[in-house]
């Protein structure tokens, strides 16, 4: 199975992976669409993302397509210990 990456390496990625592994229904924990949008705009308009994309003016707006994913945690394949 191909490896998937979420966000950039830092605490956000750690929180997203933890949410997937524990089967959290709340994902990133946003309490509504406005909070979800604000958090994602802050992420996508951040210096780290713009640097990774090599586009200092990258922006998302109402015309930007988005992909939403829902995961079902089937098994934890990490070694016990």
């Amino acid at each position: 199975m191909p490896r998937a990456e979420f966000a950039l390496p830092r605490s956000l990625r750690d929180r997203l992976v933890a949410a997937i592994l524990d089967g959290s229904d709340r994902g990133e924990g946003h309490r509504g669409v406005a909070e979800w949008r604000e958090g994602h705009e802050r992420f996508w308009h951040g210096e780290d993302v713009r640097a990774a994309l090599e586009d200092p003016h990258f922006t998302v707006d109402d015309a930007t397509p988005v992909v939403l994913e829902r995961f079902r945690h089937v098994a934890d394949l990490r070694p016990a210990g």
Side-chain angles (χ1 to χ4, degrees):
M1 173 178 267
R3 181 182 177 124
E5 292 187 355
F6 303 93
L8 298 171
R10 293 210 175 126
S11 63
L12 174 58
R13 178 182 287 174
D14 294 343
R15 289 194 316 271
L16 293 174
V17 170
I20 292 167
L21 291 175
D22 77 9
S24 173
D25 284 341
R26 296 299 297 175
E28 295 173 71
H30 299 296
R31 293 174 294 213
V33 174
E35 190 175 298
W36 175 89
R37 180 178 180 144
E38 187 268 323
H40 284 79
E41 285 178 345
R42 185 174 54 249
F43 172 78
W44 287 104
H45 297 161
E47 290 180 26
D48 290 342
V49 169
R50 288 177 171 169
L53 296 174
E54 298 179 352
D55 182 351
H57 305 291
F58 180 80
T59 189
V60 294
D61 58 27
D62 290 341
T64 305
V66 299
V67 175
L68 305 175
E69 295 182 275
R70 184 174 181 97
F71 298 91
R72 183 170 61 104
H73 185 242
V74 177
D76 189 339
L77 301 178
R78 294 175 292 179

